[in-house]
Amino acid sequence: MGAAGLRALLDSVRYEVLPAKSTEDKVLAHVPRDVVVTVTASPVRGLEPTLALTGRLAGHGYRVVPHVPARLLRDDAHLKEVVDRLRAAGVDDVFVPAGDADPPAGTYAGALPVLRRLTELGRPFTRVGVTGYPESHPLIHDDVTVQAMWDKREHATYIVSNLCFDPRVLGRWIVRIRRRDVSLPVHVGVAGPVQRAKLLAMATRIGVGESTRFLARHPSWFLRFATPGGYSPERLLTPVLPDLTSPAAKVAGLHLFTFNQIAETERWRRALLDRLGA
């Protein structure tokens, strides 16, 4: 069951990428069309790079999920423009986090009002994702984050968990949200096989603001990347497989944070699938 469960998770995978200049070429060169690609949005650069890359990748035949952070939306009219643009590109799945823009670009300070507005607009997307936090959010109490998932359940169709490097924490979180009757399927967020030097180079190219803020908020995460042999995705997943593959867990698959190391992530996935198949 362990190998079969891990293989099933790897077959139901999403790759999170950042909208840099080279991202489109990397995706075309290395990502199969049956892998879902999610595109982040930067509080520094705004939504336009995300929307533009989403449209191009959708045109290439990928199923693309843009991030639409609430705090990057100016108002209802801007949200409607974004919806119309994405629908015109054939997008039927969006991920709606609160976002990190401080101050917000407009009237939305959190994800729930945006989700409610999308419902009022007739649910223009078949699938709508929201964030879950297995490890404590730096600014929000754990009970509040779980309550937020409950509040969003009527408007969302799935949860994407934020990064977690402790299998025990991840397993306990899955059990906890199910006990709280949060029943939306979960895509488990896992860092890909990230190399420290490439991560730092990527941070410089893509935008120091977003990447360094992320690492500064989670210094222990960076130490995991920095320690030789300190992190690999399979070492995180293997101990928690019983929790992730239990029918009660309702885990839909993996959400791999590539940090734009797209070729390396796909090579790792294919190599592990080959080993599991053998």
Side-chain angles (χ1 to χ4, degrees), residues 192-263:
V194 182
Q195 298 175 20
R196 180 179 59 164
K198 289 189 176 181
L199 178 62
L200 291 174
M202 177 278 299
T204 302
R205 290 196 306 271
I206 292 173
V208 171
E210 182 178 14
S211 300
T212 56
R213 272 198 303 273
F214 174 84
L215 294 172
R217 287 199 303 269
H218 304 95
S220 65
W221 294 2
F222 184 68
L223 288 176
R224 301 269 187 160
F225 293 130
T227 304
Y231 172 77
S232 72
E234 58 266 41
R235 279 203 295 271
L236 169 68
L237 292 168
T238 299
V240 79
L241 274 177
D243 296 310
L244 301 185
T245 56
S246 164
K250 296 184 180 180
V251 170
L254 298 181
H255 181 98
L256 286 174
F257 294 83
T258 70
F259 297 96
N260 273 24
Q261 295 184 35
I262 296 167

Side-chain angles (χ1 to χ4, degrees), residues 38-56:
T38 79
V39 184
T40 67
S42 164
V44 176
R45 301 176 64 195
L47 271 176
E48 180 54 35
T50 300
L51 300 177
L53 179 59
T54 295
R56 294 196 302 272

Side-chain angles (χ1 to χ4, degrees), residues 106-277:
T107 57
Y108 296 118
L112 185 57
V114 174
L115 297 168
R116 288 172 173 157
R117 184 63 182 139
L118 288 174
T119 297
E120 292 168 359
L121 290 171
R123 300 181 184 271
F125 303 104
T126 304
R127 291 169 51 81
V128 178
V130 295
T131 308
Y133 296 96
E135 295 188 351
S136 295
H137 189 284
L139 302 176
I140 308 173
H141 191 277
D142 290 348
D143 287 339
V144 176
T145 65
V146 175
Q147 181 64 43
M149 285 185 286
W150 171 261
D151 294 339
K152 296 169 185 175
R153 74 196 187 284
E154 296 180 359
H155 310 284
T157 61
Y158 65 91
I159 296 165
V160 177
S161 71
N162 206 346
L163 280 171
C164 179
F165 291 101
D166 188 328
R168 293 169 300 177
V169 170
L170 181 58
R172 286 197 297 264
W173 177 76
I174 293 285
V175 171
R176 182 182 180 204
I177 65 171
R178 296 316 181 204
R179 285 177 177 168
R180 289 282 299 271
D181 291 329
V182 176
S183 59
L184 295 176
V186 173
H187 294 266
V188 175
V190 177
V194 182
Q195 298 175 20
R196 180 179 59 164
K198 289 189 176 181
L199 178 62
L200 291 174
M202 177 278 299
T204 302
R205 290 196 306 271
I206 292 173
V208 171
E210 182 178 14
S211 300
T212 56
R213 272 198 303 273
F214 174 84
L215 294 172
R217 287 199 303 269
H218 304 95
S220 65
W221 294 2
F222 184 68
L223 288 176
R224 301 269 187 160
F225 293 130
T227 304
Y231 172 77
S232 72
E234 58 266 41
R235 279 203 295 271
L236 169 68
L237 292 168
T238 299
V240 79
L241 274 177
D243 296 310
L244 301 185
T245 56
S246 164
K250 296 184 180 180
V251 170
L254 298 181
H255 181 98
L256 286 174
F257 294 83
T258 70
F259 297 96
N260 273 24
Q261 295 184 35
I262 296 167
E264 295 88 344
T265 301
E266 176 60 10
R267 280 198 298 269
W268 165 81
R269 185 179 77 99
R270 292 306 326 170
L272 184 52
L273 280 170
D274 289 344
R275 294 202 303 274
L276 292 170

Side-chain angles (χ1 to χ4, degrees), residues 44 64 95:
V44 176
V64 191
F95 177 63

